[in-house]
Amino acid sequence: GPSATVTTAAPVTPAMTVAASAQQTTKSSVLETTIDIHYNDFYCIALHKALGADYLYPDQKYTIWANSPAGGTINVNILLLKVDDYDKIQTVKPTWDAVKKTWVYEGISPLLQFNDITVPQEKTITIKNQGKYFLCADDRKESGVNDAMFRVPVKITRL
């Protein structure tokens, strides 16, 4: 009778809910996207928002993977910044340090920095402080003018 139908339906609903939430958890643990930049410009994505959170939290571990756009012909820098450094990068351009053979951002300490990527690079980081974090692609080291737009592939995996 009707009571049997109710009993059968009851366990099914939670099981479906669990499956759906498990699927969402899996989905949110890997974020694949692109950072779209213009030639000789930079752009940042709000990583916390892209991962569906207000903040990143201490002891969360992420693997950040990035690749060159345009098949290795464009070598951008990738930086992971805290919110206060994100405010600075808008005015601070990279300068080449010939001694250290690296790009330096005056007054900025990126949590992660890939220089001149032409092949995929990957690094795992652990968040130390709760906060808002930004993943930036920077091409502000070119000469000349070009209207090109590049899509920098990035992948963020929460471990």
Side-chain angles (χ1 to χ4, degrees):
S3 61
T5 314
V6 171
T7 321
T8 316
V12 171
T13 314
M16 280 164 59
T17 314
V18 169
S21 63
Q23 210 173 9
Q24 283 164 347
T25 312
T26 314
K27 243 185 237 163
S28 63
S29 64
V30 178
L31 169 73
E32 287 190 64
T33 185
T34 60
I35 304 176
D36 300 346
I37 56 171
H38 287 95
Y39 179 87
N40 205 11
D41 202 358
F42 80 104
Y43 189 73
C44 302
I45 58 169
L47 190 55
H48 53 285
K49 281 192 191 151
L51 292 165
D54 292 333
Y55 302 101
L56 300 188
Y57 293 95
D59 300 326
Q60 287 182 344
K61 279 177 83 164
Y62 294 94
T63 296
I64 312 280
W65 175 96
N67 197 359
S68 165
T73 52
I74 305 297
N75 49 348
V76 299
N77 293 349
I78 299 287
L79 301 103
L80 180 63
L81 303 177
K82 297 192 298 288
V83 67
D84 43 342
D85 282 339
Y86 166 68
D87 291 337
K88 292 179 201 161
I89 197 176
Q90 303 179 44
T91 53
V92 174
K93 286 191 174 186
T95 53
W96 181 252
D97 183 324
V99 177
K100 294 181 184 162
K101 301 269 190 286
T102 187
W103 290 100
V104 175
Y105 290 80
E106 196 61 47
I108 292 180
S109 355
L111 298 155
L112 168 92
Q113 182 172 337
F114 297 147
N115 288 316
D116 294 328
I117 54 173
T118 51
V119 294
Q121 291 198 32
E122 183 175 276
K123 193 174 176 189
T124 299
I125 55 134
T126 302
I127 300 296
K128 290 189 174 50
N129 302 301
Q130 176 182 331
K132 297 178 186 291
Y133 290 84
F134 295 83
L135 191 62
C136 307
D138 192 351
D139 188 48
R140 292 175 297 173
K141 46 204 170 70
E142 308 289 352
S143 54
V145 177
N146 187 324
D147 280 342
M149 180 111 189
F150 304 111
R151 300 170 72 85
V152 182
V154 293
K155 185 161 76 174
I156 296 92
T157 307
R158 181 160 171 202
L159 306 174

